[in-house]
Amino acid sequence: MRGINWLLTGAIAVGVVGVAFQPRANAQGSGPEKPIRVIAFGAHPDDCEIRVGGTAALWAKRGHQVKFVSMTNGDIGHWSMAGGPLAIRRTAEVLQAAKILGITTEVMDIHDGELMPTLENRRLMTRLIREWGADIVIGHRPNDYHPDHRYVGVLMQDTAFMVTVPFWCPDVPPLKRNPVFLFMEDNFQRPTPFRPDIVVAIDEVIEQKLDALVVIESQFVEGGALGSAERAPKTEAEREARRREVRENFRARFARTADRFRDRLIALYGEEIGSKVRYAEAFEICEYGRQPSEEEIRQLFPFFPRK
């Protein structure tokens, strides 16, 4: 069940059921004539922030519209708390992260660890994509260590094409054009390794992204599902030290992405810029959605130089 979807203007509200944050409109009305509309699906409240947060901030800074959706409420993702209190806490964390990134976010009312590739959830994802009017849809690949991650990938693939079919979910108008579907970066090798079709330099927004990740304290400061009382910070000084550690660990992670896909960065940005990129996010084009040309990729990712 999707639950209640609260769209808020420049404010935050929290509940155990589905909840959303939407940033205020630009007071000057500036921005692109036709904003690019992006929706990213993560399994839990933190997945999109980790893998898409930098690119989302780049789009948002240029007046484009980005929405993160957590397909579960994360209610077992902590070592010392669970259920409604944890769902409320994790929702509040990603709402704050969305405010920092300048995007919209929504959390589904599905228990952590219980996401299934059902007909009901396929319809749910279809409606979300259509309601957002997405040009780009992003999610996990269907080969991943966590079942919730895998099933986000399966559901996303299952909506490709179906979002354009008029009599599938006829209560929401179909999209006139199939979106480009993208997978987030991972390190899994079987049955196929991740392919870096699109690699985005996020140096411009790295501190903003790190700010957004650090507020997700239940996961990164306190250790999430695999933390413990022994390892959790006991004082505010220890907590602040852990926040600094989290920032530097994530900074190193995004630097590894840039180094791992350096050749692709150079192909997209040119030798002079691509060789100097320090931090990056990467995406693979799913073969089930629209297959963009190189020119269209540069239109959808307007931070790439135009050839």
Side-chain angles (χ1 to χ4, degrees), residues 103-254:
I103 66 167
T104 296
T105 199
E106 186 171 0
V107 176
M108 296 296 101
D109 187 25
I110 298 173
H111 292 302
D112 190 349
E114 298 183 17
L115 181 66
M116 295 295 291
T118 62
L119 190 58
E120 179 185 14
N121 285 333
R122 189 191 305 168
R123 288 185 175 123
L124 168 62
M125 191 175 284
T126 296
R127 291 184 176 106
L128 286 161
I129 292 168
R130 286 178 174 177
E131 288 166 1
W132 193 247
D135 300 299
I136 300 173
V137 181
I138 305 174
H140 301 282
R141 291 202 303 158
N143 49 302
D144 196 293
Y145 79 103
H146 197 298
D148 289 343
H149 291 200
R150 291 197 297 273
Y151 294 144
V152 166
V154 170
L155 287 164
M156 189 181 81
Q157 288 183 154
D158 287 351
T159 64
F161 175 71
M162 298 301 290
V163 295
T164 66
V165 175
F167 290 104
W168 168 250
C169 298
D171 54 307
V172 181
L175 298 183
K176 290 183 169 51
R177 191 182 190 199
N178 209 12
V180 174
F181 286 75
L182 304 176
F183 293 123
M184 306 168 182
E185 179 192 359
D186 62 51
N187 294 313
F188 301 104
Q189 301 298 305
R190 296 174 182 169
T192 57
F194 174 82
R195 185 184 65 232
D197 296 313
I198 298 169
V199 186
V200 178
I202 60 169
D203 299 35
E204 176 186 336
V205 292
I206 185 61
E207 298 305 327
Q208 186 179 355
K209 179 176 182 179
L210 296 175
D211 289 344
L213 291 172
V214 168
V215 301
I216 307 177
E217 293 206 357
S218 68
Q219 304 306 292
F220 307 135
V221 175
E222 297 173 11
L226 302 183
S228 68
E230 292 73 27
R231 296 197 300 273
K234 308 296 191 299
T235 66
E236 182 53 37
E238 289 180 358
R239 184 171 288 270
E240 183 56 35
R242 183 67 57 82
R243 293 186 190 108
R244 291 193 296 270
E245 181 183 1
V246 167
R247 291 184 76 93
E248 295 315 305
N249 287 343
F250 273 123
R251 191 188 302 276
R253 173 173 173 167
F254 307 135

